[in-house]
Amino acid sequence: MANIHDIAKKAGVSATTVSRVLNNHKYVSDEKRRAVKNAIDELNYTPNRNAIDLIRGETKQIGVIIPYNNNQAFDQMLHGALNKSIEHGYSVLVLPTRYDAKKELEYLSMLQTKMLDAIIITSRSNVWGAITPFTTYGPIISCEYTDHAEIGCSYMDRYASYVDAFHLLKENGHEKVAFTTARGMESKSTIQTFTAYEDVFGKPPSEYVISSCYSLQDGYRAAQKLLQLKEKPTAIYANGDEVATGIYQYAVSLGMHIPNDLALLGQENQPMGVAFGISTVDHQLIKVGEQAFQLAIEKSKQKIKIPYQIIHRSSI
Amino acid sequence: MANIHDIAKKAGVSATTVSRVLNNHKYVSDEKRRAVKNAIDELNYTPNRNAIDLIRGETKQIGVIIPYNNNQAFDQMLHGALNKSIEHGYSVLVLPTRYDAKKELEYLSMLQTKMLDAIIITSRSNVWGAITPFTTYGPIISCEYTDHAEIGCSYMDRYASYVDAFHLLKENGHEKVAFTTARGMESKSTIQTFTAYEDVFGKPPSEYVISSCYSLQDGYRAAQKLLQLKEKPTAIYANGDEVATGIYQYAVSLGMHIPNDLALLGQENQPMGVAFGISTVDHQLIKVGEQAFQLAIEKSKQKIKIPYQIIHRSSI
DNA sequence: GTGAAAGCGCTAACAC
DNA sequence: GTGTTAGCGCTTTCAC
């Protein structure tokens, strides 16, 4: 594998000069510049990125922490980051945690080992206190709002959107409203859903809250539980459109009509939701990811709120 | 940022000894080992990966080339690669091309620059002749079969699966069968679909072939074209379950019944297919991705065929 | 304009 | 068991 010295020798110049033409410095005579370029072509030379990264102390690589990589929501944020990465000549390393806090810490330490210039956290497993120390080594951007001054945030206004969603349901005459969540109370968005519910309807009956919902099947199961209650809900706010679709399907299999017998509101405007005409709260996760990436490369600690929008279809 | 010499000084040993404890070499006295470990803890030291990579000539990073990152099929292969990467202590770099051949070449040269230990190509943009030269710099694994001895392959037996699918349709009494594809004749899988069709039904009428199908909406549009023909097809083989769902929806909107009025066969066993009960040809893309990763880290040039399976649901 | 020399942070002979 | 020395491939003062 040819290196800079091989080129230098072949072109009859010093390594310094080769480096200069490589980096488009001025003050290189046309003659030598040409000689160097020829040598580079002939030996099919490419500079070693590790050496450059070592000296520069940066890699032009950004890590994106996601809990699962087959989850529509996190994929959307990753998608946004990838969009921007191409634009700016960065590469994106995917860092799946499966909500393993230790794994997450390992990933964060990649800032310290200089593998990564910055890290974007789409959903965290550790408490902030364990995460913030790593900001010493490089920017950490969160896709969830946090007060910590060291952490840049590109976040959706989850709480407001939840309140909005529940209000919408209430305005439509629903009083018996259930909802699904992904994780339990260790998750901020679950807590926010709870609180928003309380604000609008008061404390939710525990049978009206179904957690561990990620997929279509989970939605189906949630509906099974919910629709066998004596006090059936008349509306359900699902934590994703796939989950909402699962609910939809079970309800329809029971001969129920959507939205007459049961109103359904989903989240994230996923393809499956459009297929089933499910109204949804779109948190614009792709934009969240794009903005997060922008903050990452700007080493910015700003807190930027991405607006959500409610998309009305026929399930409500 | 502390480096190995700081640790050495603090522990009162040489850098070599520090390196030795870092890499768990034997022949270090317990005493010095302890001293080094203490120093490491006190200074919160982590070795610089760039320096290590530079010296070792490898990065424990594998790149995965995908055309689009929001496409279910490619995401599945990426998913497979990620699964294995964690197991083996590797990181995965996502390399989206949007089928831009120049971009792909740029990515391939990351082997040469020593950024990547290997590259997995889920779908290629260049001719093989342009790709194979890069195998000099590191393993390239393809998720499509190719004869080139330098390229390892983890592939699905697409052709056989297509023939099988068309046969299945024929056995079910269908003679007027249409199909959709993603790209045109620049894509091997499109060509294979054509050939398989010819083998079973003879040359396809050009109205029966709809390309540029990626999403639900594309399927919807395909159905619009197909179902206004005088000679309507009685069965459609879609290139994905989302596309099949789009077709499904348009057909149903016309008052048609699936499968009585129109049989539908999808591909890749995507969530949306299960939601709509769409029979599908599952090429087991996650396994393809996992196997590809395995080949990559083993620097193997084997050609491994992943079996497909047909999943019977209610659309046929 | 150009090159010599130092150094980024680490590992690996080799000698003792 | 341990340290000295020489690099890995590049960039960057600093002279000339």
Side-chain angles (χ1 to χ4, degrees):
Chain A
M1 228 83 313
N3 67 23
I4 201 170
H5 292 108
D6 300 332
I7 303 297
K9 203 190 305 172
K10 180 144 197 137
V13 300
S14 73
T16 311
T17 300
V18 177
S19 173
R20 279 199 264 258
V21 345
L22 248 21
N23 296 286
N24 292 314
H25 285 205
K26 344 164 67 173
Y27 306 130
V28 180
S29 66
D30 282 358
E31 188 188 356
K32 303 216 165 185
R33 171 164 267 129
R34 245 194 317 279
V36 168
K37 291 205 162 162
N38 284 340
I40 288 177
D41 285 346
E42 279 175 50
L43 270 54
N44 190 21
Y45 163 81
T46 326
N48 179 316
R49 264 297 283 275
N50 286 319
I52 298 174
D53 291 347
L54 171 58
I55 224 162
R56 290 217 210 287
E58 58 169 37
T59 56
K60 295 269 182 186
Q61 288 188 175
I62 305 270
V64 178
I65 290 181
I66 55 176
Y68 301 100
N69 61 103
N70 50 345
N71 174 295
Q72 279 263 6
F74 302 121
D75 278 354
Q76 281 187 58
M77 297 193 245
L78 179 60
H79 181 30
L82 282 164
N83 286 349
K84 285 288 173 186
S85 75
I86 299 181
E87 241 172 68
H88 293 91
Y90 277 75
S91 298
V92 167
L93 216 58
V94 186
L95 311 173
T97 62
R98 304 182 186 185
Y99 283 124
D100 174 344
K102 244 176 64 193
K103 195 87 210 161
E104 183 171 273
L105 256 17
E106 267 176 45
Y107 289 145
L108 288 169
S109 77
M110 293 168 114
L111 284 175
Q112 193 174 169
T113 66
K114 296 283 178 193
M115 273 191 80
L116 260 24
D117 292 352
I119 284 185
I120 295 170
I121 302 181
T122 62
S123 181
R124 69 184 215 280
S125 310
N126 283 279
V127 295
W128 280 115
I131 296 174
T132 48
F134 289 94
T135 54
T136 330
Y137 309 110
I140 296 179
I141 308 297
S142 166
C143 294
E144 156 202 13
Y145 179 81
T146 168
D147 261 339
H148 288 86
E150 315 92 309
I151 306 282
C153 301
S154 165
Y155 67 104
M156 43 236 149
D157 195 359
R158 283 221 125 100
Y159 183 68
S161 82
Y162 294 153
V163 171
D164 230 26
F166 286 127
H167 261 133
L168 179 62
L169 261 15
K170 187 170 196 173
E171 279 164 23
N172 280 261
H174 298 284
E175 285 295 336
K176 291 183 283 182
V177 175
F179 63 90
T180 66
T181 70
R183 291 188 294 161
M185 285 312 208
E186 73 279 17
S187 148
K188 193 169 171 192
S189 72
T190 299
I191 294 173
Q192 289 176 322
T193 313
F194 256 89
T195 319
Y197 190 100
E198 284 187 350
D199 285 3
V200 177
F201 296 112
K203 213 172 170 51
S206 65
E207 328 77 90
Y208 276 13
V209 184
I210 313 283
S211 57
S212 296
C213 288
Y214 298 93
S215 66
L216 186 95
Q217 281 80 5
D218 296 331
Y220 203 87
R221 273 191 291 273
Q224 287 179 320
K225 287 188 204 155
L226 254 16
L227 298 178
Q228 66 168 26
L229 261 29
K230 306 118 279 177
E231 288 279 303
K232 282 190 196 43
T234 63
I236 302 175
Y237 183 34
N239 58 313
D241 292 336
E242 292 203 11
V243 174
T245 301
I247 299 173
Y248 182 103
Q249 294 222 307
Y250 182 73
V252 166
S253 79
L254 253 42
M256 296 177 76
H257 181 271
I258 310 290
N260 295 355
D261 303 323
L262 181 70
L264 238 34
L265 185 56
Q267 281 182 55
E268 308 328 346
N269 191 19
Q270 297 162 349
M272 205 174 295
V274 348
F276 282 87
I278 298 201
S279 301
T280 193
V281 181
D282 184 356
H283 290 105
Q284 307 215 72
L285 267 15
I286 295 183
K287 278 199 191 149
V288 169
E290 290 178 341
Q291 181 62 66
F293 191 90
Q294 201 73 42
L295 292 178
I297 59 176
E298 288 167 0
K299 303 183 197 309
S300 162
K301 298 181 169 68
Q302 280 181 74
K303 321 280 186 191
I304 295 186
K305 188 195 291 180
I306 306 296
Y308 64 91
Q309 49 193 45
I310 297 187
I311 298 176
H312 292 271
R313 293 202 266 253
S314 54
S315 70
I316 213 176
Chain B
M1 229 84 312
N3 66 23
I4 201 170
H5 292 110
D6 298 333
I7 304 299
K9 202 189 304 173
K10 181 145 197 136
V13 300
S14 73
T16 310
T17 300
V18 177
S19 172
R20 280 199 263 259
V21 344
L22 247 23
N23 296 285
N24 291 315
H25 284 204
K26 346 163 68 176
Y27 306 130
V28 180
S29 67
D30 281 359
E31 188 190 356
K32 302 217 164 182
R33 170 164 269 127
R34 245 193 319 279
V36 169
K37 291 204 163 162
N38 284 340
I40 287 177
D41 285 348
E42 278 175 51
L43 269 54
N44 189 21
Y45 162 80
T46 325
N48 179 314
R49 266 295 284 275
N50 287 317
I52 298 174
D53 291 347
L54 172 59
I55 225 162
R56 289 216 209 288
E58 56 167 41
T59 54
K60 294 269 181 187
Q61 288 189 176
I62 306 270
V64 177
I65 290 182
I66 55 177
Y68 301 100
N69 62 102
N70 50 345
N71 173 296
Q72 280 263 6
F74 303 120
D75 278 354
Q76 281 188 55
M77 296 193 247
L78 179 60
H79 181 29
L82 283 164
N83 285 349
K84 286 286 172 185
S85 74
I86 299 180
E87 240 171 68
H88 292 92
Y90 277 75
S91 297
V92 167
L93 215 59
V94 187
L95 311 173
T97 62
R98 302 181 187 185
Y99 282 124
D100 174 345
K102 244 175 66 194
K103 195 87 208 161
E104 184 172 274
L105 257 17
E106 267 176 45
Y107 289 145
L108 287 169
S109 76
M110 293 169 114
L111 285 175
Q112 195 176 167
T113 64
K114 296 282 178 193
M115 271 192 82
L116 260 22
D117 291 353
I119 284 185
I120 295 170
I121 303 182
T122 62
S123 182
R124 68 184 216 279
S125 310
N126 283 278
V127 294
W128 282 113
I131 297 173
T132 49
F134 289 94
T135 55
T136 329
Y137 309 111
I140 296 180
I141 308 297
S142 166
C143 294
E144 156 201 14
Y145 179 81
T146 168
D147 261 338
H148 288 85
E150 313 92 311
I151 306 282
C153 302
S154 164
Y155 68 102
M156 44 234 147
D157 195 359
R158 283 222 126 99
Y159 182 69
S161 82
Y162 294 155
V163 171
D164 231 27
F166 285 128
H167 261 133
L168 179 63
L169 260 16
K170 188 170 194 175
E171 278 164 23
N172 279 261
H174 297 285
E175 284 296 336
K176 291 183 286 183
V177 175
F179 63 90
T180 65
T181 71
R183 291 187 294 162
M185 284 311 208
E186 74 279 16
S187 148
K188 193 169 170 190
S189 72
T190 299
I191 294 174
Q192 288 177 323
T193 313
F194 256 87
T195 318
Y197 190 99
E198 282 188 349
D199 286 2
V200 177
F201 296 113
K203 213 172 169 52
S206 65
E207 327 78 87
Y208 275 14
V209 184
I210 312 284
S211 57
S212 296
C213 288
Y214 298 92
S215 66
L216 186 95
Q217 281 79 5
D218 296 330
Y220 203 87
R221 275 190 291 272
Q224 287 179 321
K225 287 189 206 155
L226 254 16
L227 297 179
Q228 65 168 25
L229 261 29
K230 305 118 281 180
E231 288 279 305
K232 283 189 196 44
T234 63
I236 301 176
Y237 184 33
N239 59 313
D241 293 335
E242 291 203 11
V243 173
T245 302
I247 299 173
Y248 182 103
Q249 295 222 306
Y250 182 71
V252 167
S253 80
L254 252 43
M256 296 177 76
H257 180 270
I258 309 291
N260 296 355
D261 303 324
L262 181 70
L264 237 34
L265 186 55
Q267 282 182 55
E268 308 328 344
N269 190 20
Q270 297 162 348
M272 205 176 293
V274 347
F276 282 89
I278 298 205
S279 301
T280 192
V281 180
D282 184 355
H283 290 106
Q284 307 213 75
L285 268 15
I286 296 184
K287 278 197 190 151
V288 169
E290 290 178 342
Q291 181 63 66
F293 191 89
Q294 201 73 41
L295 293 177
I297 58 175
E298 289 167 0
K299 303 183 198 310
S300 163
K301 299 181 168 69
Q302 280 181 74
K303 320 283 185 188
I304 295 187
K305 188 195 292 179
I306 306 296
Y308 63 93
Q309 48 193 44
I310 297 187
I311 298 177
H312 293 271
R313 293 202 266 254
S314 54
S315 70
I316 214 178

